[in-house]
Amino acid sequence: MNSRFNRRSILRGILGGGAVGMGIPMLDLFLDGNGAALANGAPLPTRVGTFFWGLGLTPGQWEPTKVGANYDIKRNLEFLKGGLDKKTSIFTGFTVKLDGRPSHAHWTGLAAILAGTAPARINTFDGMPSFDTAVANTIGNGTRFKTLDATPYNATTTSYSSTGGDNYKMAADSPVALYSRIFGEGFSDPNSGEWKPDPRVMVKQSVLSTVKDQRDALWAEAGATDRARLDQYFTSVRELEQRLQNELLPPPKCESCVVPTQPEEIARKGDVPTIVRKNKDMVKLMTMALACNQTNVFNYVFTTATSEIYRPGDLPVYHGHTHEEPVDGKLGYQPISAELAQVSVNAYGDLLKAMDEVKEGDGTLLDHSLVLGFSDTGWAKIHSIDNIPMLLAGGANGRHRTGQHVKVAAEPVTRVSLTMQQLAGVPVGNFGVGSMMTSKSITEVMA
Amino acid sequence: MNFKRSLIAAAAVLLTSASTVVLTSCATDGKQTASAEAPSARGELVSMRRLTAAQYERSVADIFGKDIDLTGRFETEVRVEGLNTVGAANASISAGGLEQYYAMAASIGEQALAPKARDKTMPCKPASAKAPDDACATAFLTKYGRLAFRRPLTAEELSSRVALARRVAEQRSDFYSGLQEALTSVLASPNFLFRVERALPGKHRGDRPLDAYARASRLSFMFWNSTPDDELLTAAESGALMTKAGLQAQVDRLAASPRIADGVADFFDDAMMLDMFASQSKDPLTFPKYSGALAAAAREQTLKTIVDLLVTKNGDYRDIFTSNDTFLTRELAMVYKVPFGVGRGWAPYTFAESEGRSGVLTQISFLSLFSHPARSSPTKRGVALNEVFLCQTTPSPPGDVDFSLINEPNPLLKTLRSKLTAHATEPSCAGCHTLVDPPGLALEGFDSLGERRSYDNGELIDVTSEWQGKKFSGAVGLGRLLHDDARAPQCITKKLYASAAGRVIHEDDPALKDLTAQFTRGGYRIPAFLKVLAADDRLYKVPAARPAEQQPAAPTKVAARNGASS
Amino acid sequence: MTKSWFQGLALGSVMAAAVAPAAHAGAWSKAYVVDWMEPAYFHGGDKMDNNGPGADCPDGTTKPVGWQKVFKTPWRSEADVKFYLDPEKRPELQRALRFRGPNYEDVWAQPWLAPDFGMPEVQSKVAYGFDLDDNPNTGGFTSPDGKVKGIDNGYYKVGGCWVSFRGQPRTSQRGIGINGYMTNGLYTIVIVVSGNEDPMNDSKATLAFYEAQDRIVKDALGQAASDATFTVKPDIKTQSLIPVTIKDGVIESRGAAEIKLRDEAWNGGTPSQMQMTGGKLRLALLPNGQLEGYFGGYREWKRLYQNQAINARDGETNQGIDMPSFYYSLKRNADADPDPVTGENRRISTVYSLRATPSFVMDPTGKRVVTAPELFDRDGATRMAAGQ
């Protein structure tokens, strides 16, 4: 008796998505419009990335005065001028809740944003994964790389992305290294026409199929009100099936994928002109990795938290300046530190510009992406963990209501991390530990 | 197993006619479909209640162990007649929600069948971990399907999943991977996500008894707020649960378990709307002590207080309005402005009389939930108190109500009391405000967070009040009044009954008066009353439909109303 | 059992701290947690500018002495110096700076082996503090309001122009830094004021400093939250009982006292004991319930040097302060406790500002509120009456 085998459900699942449409008549009727809209070919994936730079920004020099849409652009964020501001949201006033934990200089801030915790020990996330892991688990499976990590900076730590257990990823740390990782061995041109459907999607369809088999039995027994609710439930099943069916369609041609030529190696130096040049090369490579469907998820570290980039001829490095440089009485800030902060955030701007230059479908690659730019501190001079700069760029295929300035009073940074994950499509209801545990999405930036 | 065989036959017949039925129901108003009056061999489906978040969590912990980590978002609960457990009968699952439930199901399967967890989870060992094994898959799915569906799987439900497990195991050369997918299919099924209740045929509409499995579920969710355990399902299978003695034996067993604390805590969490904490915020400039952690502790404080009084001490329900025994953490003590010793965590505490507190109404949970972010609200507190503890609903304010008197600074009207008094003299407002404001005004000695205060805007606060023809003063006076209000025990009886039955209980329900009398005779003891209710045959009957019930009940006012009251 | 440990505690003896106290005779006590403490450095420059020139530091905050200058030793070639000063060699630089003694000695540990380049000291005559030696002709500072002459604050003279020390109250990098460590949980200092007359006017009250076992609880605005409970750490090294008088809400020490408490944090390391001789104190009860003011006394200057030298890496490489010059300046300005043999002063006058927030303080068992002056040693029940 156990060997009784429901051929119908298995066939429907395993043998391709096309048969899914053979479901229950009424549900078909109900879904026709929606199904047609979705059947127009698979939607473009949302690409998600994090971009980190160390030592924050200059307090008072980046936070817009105006809250909401059409915010004003301050000195540190001049790269937003010319349209990027309409594709970028800015978050101010977010902070780290320590719950009695120590505030580790240059660590706690980034740990709170990435892992939702104020770790007991420095250089750990208390064993927790950074949130990009959840993003990669959700949207990273269909591409060659689940995630890609890169940095133009020379340091032993090259990534803050962790899948847990306080191990951090190793990032490609030069244009040549990144190029060979993406376009070297194992790379096949996405426009060459070879494509195989993901068997995991087909299994998921089979699972849903066994769920749906129960519909008839329940329906037959139910009264009118319960039927309406059953209908809603099975409509939801059908919507999920439709999404899976789309995942089984061959991906659209990567019209914007242009395989770059091998870059030249650049000296491993931390002076500003060198690192800026290196960064420009590397963000372009990363952009093509996305456009050529090699990955949907990336982490980019411009500098580590204690950034030691320096101006040519200058003795102290950036980190040193943040501590020793006096606040200019007239300007109200540390001028050299502000200059280096601008260099750092401009590197993020260079990535956004590169992504926005790639045309894709009805918009640009940036419109189909979501890139969190963030740092470790709100004011490096005193290692403040209040008002840590966080910017969210890219339209996320219409899910991100861009161009907003969201200002709060001392709310946890995890609200931004949670919102980012939800915009990326991660099924997550809350994020963070202790007082930073939040289920409050930032609805102002959700379309 | 004749029963099962006949099920298959019935299901097979229905499968072929399903589409016809669908179309019929689509074309009519649904009152006269063929199947509604023709119960199947399994009994007619009479109710579907979506699992609440708490029920889902407890069920998963009971079935697969407490170390399963649940990461996902639950659908928003719907509160009807003050209870999510009643609203659950109106709730469905959206596409976004299904994705969440699916992801949770997959993650549970992954954790339960992870190499380290397998030994504990598996009832059998497959011949090979790299190949399908139908016998072992059947054993596994029979065991966990029964716990998840709260009844044995039908032959088709089982065989389709065994087949799924086999296919995936073949494809991936991994027995456990196949099992995982089959388990995902169990946990994403409406039979798990909804409590599906069926009734047996009866003599007339109002006399159809629920079947044994529905009976088992009602019992289990009532006492433990979780899925029935093996023993309870066995009693349902054997038919013992349908006998008076068999039912009583299970009632006694469930009530004697320490897990009754879970059932009682979850019920009061629901009835006191403590889940609203998730969306509450307080102005940090005015209330810097407020945080998400404090809110969670405040919620827990109230539940600990209630369980301690009603279960641990088996106390009089009415004492929740007057007892000053509670539990505190260091952070809560800061808001109550009392010293806190004995290290970290929770410690019992008794408020001194001089603190002016009185029972759960003066805890941070109630005081802060029913306030505005920056100021207290006698009206919100009054409306909530009436609705939560007395089952008295307040009509919504008229749409064109003018709140300027309350919200704008006025040198002549400094305190909320004076502003409210001015506002409530408007004839269109007076009707309700005279009912809800007086008890709320007696709580004005506590601000929007629940801290004690003596002044509002520099004016000394007057906490005297008059309500129901009685004069009283402050929270202590209000607590005494509620303690002696006969509506309070009747209200809690009604809510316990509604929560267990998953439907609105009307004032004229014949069982209500009788049950209230039994609660009263029993000295207002909740555990004893739950036993009375659980052993009462009327709980397991499908009521005759009332004309009014053709429409789904309206959501509860307090929860639905945002800011329209002061 | 539910009748808990301190049922009835909230009555009588403990006053709800945030409520305006009513005048009444009889035993009373009030407790606080210190939420800000920093060296009291009067800022003589522009209000909005912590670094520009002012009467205190005519050249503004201390400019780096210059690494080339301190780095060049007879045994180091110009090429060596150039090598270490390349920003790419920064990690090596710190080590090279430290071991720049005549024979590669650690000059942070043995500063006397290096030359004195001259620490820029405070030039003005205005300072916060006390006339510790009751001699208006010594010390040389006058209070900002001109009322107190002969203020002794040698530590301010030494470090007042140091870039991280200088600034308006509660804005210096150092002040923000050390208090950040404290409020983030590195250590906690609590205060119990008690007496038998009246909290606003008491001729024989006592102020007690304790270290607490519990961390400060921060509120949503990042400040120390009020009304938290703290348990005393049983360690008399960080406790003092200071006889005080209270007049119209202003607390003042009665005579010179030994003041012992937990020291300020030095760049994140767990601080040790702060010990002052000849100490004085003046704190005011503010209308919002807080306590604010100053305390001071003579501290061992070698200890102050060592505290800095532990993290000289930061002082030298990040702030450009020449450690040996700091050492010589402390030695020069030491003004108390002459060594019987050499005659050299071993202590230097110091002043700290302090702010504290209402709280509850329990004895080390966590079961009894501290309401009277007493000390709690590690052995448990050691108690000493206040010296009143």
Side-chain angles (χ1 to χ4, degrees), chain B residues 288-289 330 339-340 342 349, chain C residues 5-6 215 219-220 227 229-230:
Chain B
K289 286 177 186 168
R330 187 166 172 230
F340 180 83
V342 205
Y349 185 79
Chain C
W5 18 267
F6 49 60
R215 287 176 159 146
D219 66 21
D227 308 312
T229 307
F230 297 90

Side-chain angles (χ1 to χ4, degrees), chain B residues 284-285 287-290 308 313 325 327-328 330-331 333-335 337-344 347-352 354-355 451, chain C residues 1-11 18 213-217 219-221 225-231 360 362 365-367 369:
Chain B
L285 285 175
F287 299 105
K289 286 177 186 168
Y290 184 82
D308 178 60
K313 293 183 191 147
D325 292 343
F327 299 83
L328 295 182
R330 187 166 172 230
E331 283 71 20
M334 286 164 50
V335 177
K337 295 189 180 180
V338 295
F340 180 83
V342 205
R344 295 176 174 80
Y349 185 79
T350 301
F351 285 112
S354 60
E355 296 287 325
E451 284 197 30
Chain C
M1 181 48 235
T2 55
K3 300 297 169 199
S4 59
W5 18 267
F6 49 60
Q7 193 183 24
L9 252 183
L11 302 171
Q213 303 175 24
D214 318 271
R215 287 176 159 146
I216 285 174
V217 181
D219 66 21
L221 301 174
S226 58
D227 308 312
T229 307
F230 297 90
T231 311
F360 298 99
M362 312 281 277
T365 65
K367 293 187 177 155
V369 172

